[in-house]
Amino acid sequence: MNTPNSTLRAVRMGLLMSQDDFARAIRESGLRAGQPNEANKRLVQRWEAGVIAAPRPLYARALESVTGLPIESLGFSAALPLARLSSDGQGGHDIEAAPASAVEGVASPAAGPTPQASPRANYSGIWLSRYEFYSSGRHSSLIGQHFVIVLQHGNRLTVRSLPNGSSNPASPLTMDLTIDGSVVTGTWVEQTAEDGYYRGARYHGAVQMLVEPTGRRMAGKWLGFGKDMDINTGPWELVFRDASTAQATLSQYNVPPQ
């Protein structure tokens, strides 16, 4: 039974293209590159239905050109089986291989685990940062959210919250991360508001996350100290919102997350 390629469909819809539009853009990309192809609506339907799980190189190059994403991030599993995140049943996250499927409509045998590739070429843009922590003073679990701008320099990611993009007013967040394949590791710092519940306390610690195959979400855990001199941990995720870092986009997200 074929597994629909929901990732490719989501990318196409994110480009505001119909299947006909998408096929036309792929043909035009091939012509510009001097590598004509015969993409049509039926072929796009077969990709999205999972009937074809990995396009031929001719189409793969055109797909990368049209979407701006590497072929491994478009939901095709046979050319390079990727990993996906799953719960380990103990509050953590495990990474497991996605199954191989058909190549241009020809079924391929099941494959074992393979090394995962970096899902995206560039992570720069606007992301929603969301972490969970337990407040001993309020005896409840709370969620901190920030709209952040991510800038990539090689394998380094710098993360800075937008001035007004915090669920807690005047609580700026910074992260300095290193990406290695699908693994993101680094440090975080949050300066709480002087007139807020934590009275200007500065918290910092470590974080490690795994990047999902779509490249649109990173999920993992943070580690940090508490006021009682204990070490705490909890879930943390970054969810992609917009690849633009133009002033108009920054203004749009410079508001508290809902």
Side-chain angles (χ1 to χ4, degrees):
M1 185 174 181
N2 299 320
T3 301
N5 189 339
S6 57
T7 300
L8 180 64
R9 182 172 183 271
V11 170
R12 174 180 62 78
M13 294 181 69
L15 293 171
L16 303 180
M17 289 184 178
S18 67
Q19 291 176 331
D20 276 325
D21 294 336
F22 197 55
R24 185 180 307 109
I26 291 170
R27 292 196 304 271
E28 292 172 351
S29 174
L31 289 173
R32 288 195 299 271
Q35 298 177 323
N37 62 67
E38 299 179 353
N40 54 36
K41 179 179 179 180
R42 177 57 180 160
L43 178 60
V44 175
Q45 290 174 335
R46 286 167 63 82
W47 285 337
E48 294 185 356
V51 175
I52 297 173
R56 288 183 288 137
L58 176 72
Y59 289 108
R61 289 189 287 271
L63 280 162
E64 289 183 331
S65 175
V66 171
T67 65
L69 295 171
I71 195 66
E72 296 86 1
S73 297
L74 296 177
F76 295 109
S77 59
L80 179 59
L82 289 171
R84 63 180 181 183
L85 296 178
S86 64
S87 171
D88 62 6
Q90 300 175 342
H93 303 268
D94 285 337
I95 193 163
E96 58 187 41
S101 185
V103 181
E104 283 294 298
V106 179
S108 61
T114 59
Q116 66 271 19
S118 179
R120 282 170 60 104
N122 195 298
Y123 295 89
S124 295
I126 305 299
W127 295 65
L128 172 64
S129 168
R130 182 163 49 210
Y131 63 84
E132 185 176 346
F133 65 102
Y134 183 80
S135 173
S136 57
R138 287 175 279 189
H139 306 290
S140 62
S141 292
L142 304 174
I143 294 177
Q145 297 189 99
H146 297 77
F147 281 126
V148 299
I149 179 171
V150 176
L151 297 177
Q152 181 167 352
H153 310 277
N155 68 336
R156 302 294 299 274
L157 305 178
T158 59
V159 181
R160 301 292 183 267
S161 62
L162 297 177
N164 300 313
S166 170
S167 57
N168 299 312
S171 182
L173 170 73
T174 64
M175 304 173 77
D176 290 292
L177 308 172
T178 300
I179 184 163
D180 182 6
S182 291
V183 181
V184 177
T185 305
T187 59
W188 59 271
V189 178
E190 183 170 3
Q191 179 68 51
T192 63
E194 292 288 344
D195 56 352
Y197 181 84
Y198 292 102
R199 300 180 181 277
R202 180 177 181 270
Y203 292 98
H204 55 88
V207 63
Q208 188 164 64
M209 296 180 283
L210 298 175
V211 185
E212 289 191 343
T214 61
R216 300 176 69 88
R217 180 174 178 265
M218 308 177 191
K221 288 193 171 184
W222 60 268
L223 190 75
F225 64 91
K227 66 179 182 179
D228 298 323
M229 298 304 294
D230 52 354
I231 299 297
N232 300 318
T233 188
W236 198 321
E237 68 174 0
L238 292 174
V239 182
F240 177 76
R241 285 291 183 262
D242 200 307
S244 172
T245 56
Q247 188 59 48
T249 306
L250 298 182
S251 298
Q252 176 186 349
Y253 286 96
N254 192 25
V255 294
Q258 299 299 316

